[in-house]
Amino acid sequence: MLTRIDHIGIACFDLDRTVEFYRATYGFEVHHTEVNEEQGVREAMLRINGTSDGGASYLQLLEPTREDSAVGKWLAKNGEGVHHIAFGTADVDQDASDIRGKGVRVLYDEPRTGSMGSRITFLHPKDCHGVLTELVTARDEH
Ligand code: CMX
Ligand code: CO
């Protein structure tokens, strides 16, 4: 069951400058940074709030590490902006399987590693009315 907005993924050209914008404008601080080479991103997670299911909601700021990555290609075509939305669930395997059964393309056969040791998968944007949609189980949930 999807129980929260885990994060909103925002593509940017310069992670440090974008982090500084969110700090100076809203007061949001960096909770975590990492490089995920499989996804081709350098990222910063800004924690916005805790949620009643024990998870949290974040902004995920994403800078590509290579031009041929998902975020690199998207930035070249669209410029900066909202790249994807991620729903949180205690059981990404079950939710991905259920959603696949409804005819929506799930991009990975098995969930992969996402931010902060989470397990993630994606739904194809063309099957989701134009929204690239991620499903996340946080590390403490699996
Ligand atoms: N949101 C909405 N539509 C998108 C999109 C996005 N983020 N990315 C691509 N599309 C659309 C394109 O506009 C294009 O549409 P048209 O054919 O109408 O022009 C179509 O999808 C195909 O796009 P493409 O540029 O040819 O790109 P690919 O098919 O190679 O890749 C996708 C698209 C979704 C399969 C790829 O981006 C992907 O695998 N995404 C999942 C992984 C990811 O995004 N990782 C980065 C984030 C990591 C994290 O959150 O931790
Ligand atoms: Co994400």
Side-chain angles (χ1 to χ4, degrees):
M1 186 174 49
L2 309 179
T3 56
R4 66 180 181 276
I5 293 184
D6 185 275
H7 64 267
I8 296 169
I10 297 171
C12 62
F13 290 114
D14 184 326
L15 186 63
D16 297 338
R17 287 187 59 190
T18 308
V19 161
E20 176 54 19
F21 169 81
Y22 280 91
R23 192 200 62 73
T25 308
Y26 310 114
F28 296 146
E29 300 288 347
V30 173
H31 177 78
H32 176 84
T33 59
E34 70 182 83
V35 173
N36 185 328
E37 281 299 353
E38 184 176 37
Q39 294 294 334
V41 294
R42 188 164 81 93
E43 61 173 81
M45 297 295 272
L46 314 185
R47 191 174 188 275
I48 309 302
N49 62 275
T51 56
S52 59
D53 59 7
S57 294
Y58 301 88
L59 295 182
Q60 181 185 40
L61 305 180
L62 299 159
E63 178 192 85
T65 58
R66 47 179 199 270
E67 285 179 6
D68 66 349
S69 63
V71 173
K73 282 176 63 178
W74 190 87
L75 271 170
K77 188 173 167 186
N78 302 286
E80 296 186 313
V82 174
H83 178 258
H84 65 273
I85 184 167
F87 296 121
T89 165
D91 191 346
V92 63
D93 299 88
Q94 185 65 56
D95 283 296
S97 167
D98 290 350
I99 291 169
R100 182 181 276 120
K102 296 176 186 180
V104 174
R105 278 171 287 171
V106 177
L107 296 183
Y108 306 149
D109 290 336
E110 293 291 330
R112 297 182 183 174
T113 301
S115 306
M116 301 182 288
S118 60
R119 297 179 70 238
I120 63 171
T121 195
F122 290 87
L123 313 180
H124 201 287
K126 292 294 179 189
D127 294 348
C128 301
H129 295 267
V131 179
L132 175 59
T133 304
E134 179 180 352
L135 309 179
V136 184
T137 296
R139 185 184 52 205
D140 292 346
E141 290 176 307
H142 69 79

